[in-house]
Amino acid sequence: MSANDAPPKPTPSELEMLRLLWQLGPATARQVHEAAVEARPDMGYANVLRLLQVMHAKGLLSRDESARAHVYAPAQPQDSLQTSLIKELIHKAFSGSGKELVLAALRGHVSKKERAEIQELLNREK
């Protein structure tokens, strides 16, 4: 991926694997599978392995092939990918308005505790 290319956009299943790898750190397919079945018992090892291989081909994951069991890791940090996905969402769904995104999120998607935390953060920014 060159500097001018946008990072590849993960599918929902790929995003699930990325979340696991951000939590686990670099891991083998077996380790990712063990973590995945905790949330989705129906998830087969072959499916996890294939998904990791596809993600590596897309540039979403790096792969260390120095050992017999390949070790996979996210190609970019969590906050970097999340920022990219948020920018795309703001552009596509909110006509480029971050304010509209925040207002939509606050309408029913934020608990009272989260609202208090957000307010505290906003008060510190003044």
Side-chain angles (χ1 to χ4, degrees):
M1 182 169 73
S2 74
N4 294 338
D5 291 340
K9 182 180 173 191
T11 66
S13 293
E14 291 169 345
L15 199 51
E16 183 180 350
M17 292 297 112
L18 284 168
R19 279 192 295 265
L20 287 172
L21 281 164
W22 284 321
Q23 215 173 23
L24 294 170
T28 64
R30 182 140 330 270
Q31 291 167 322
V32 175
H33 174 253
E34 288 170 1
V37 295
E38 288 180 20
R40 291 192 39 204
D42 62 323
M43 179 74 82
Y45 172 78
N47 291 341
V48 170
L49 177 59
R50 182 72 187 129
L51 191 52
L52 294 174
Q53 291 169 336
V54 167
M55 292 171 70
H56 175 257
K58 284 175 70 173
L60 289 167
L61 298 178
S62 63
R63 181 171 65 194
D64 178 355
E65 300 176 6
S66 62
R68 185 172 183 273
H70 297 169
V71 176
Y72 294 89
Q76 64 187 105
Q78 183 175 3
D79 61 341
S80 175
L81 180 62
Q82 287 173 333
T83 298
S84 174
L85 293 173
I86 289 289
K87 282 181 183 177
E88 182 180 353
L89 177 65
I90 290 170
H91 175 73
K92 285 182 176 180
F94 298 98
S95 302
S97 172
K99 177 183 127 190
E100 291 301 319
L101 169 76
V102 171
L103 291 174
L106 290 174
R107 285 187 218 110
H109 299 285
V110 178
S111 70
K112 287 185 180 202
K113 180 182 178 208
E114 290 171 327
R115 275 183 195 268
E117 291 171 1
I118 291 167
Q119 187 62 54
E120 184 178 318
L121 178 67
L122 291 172
N123 290 343
R124 276 189 265 151
E125 295 291 321
K126 290 181 182 177

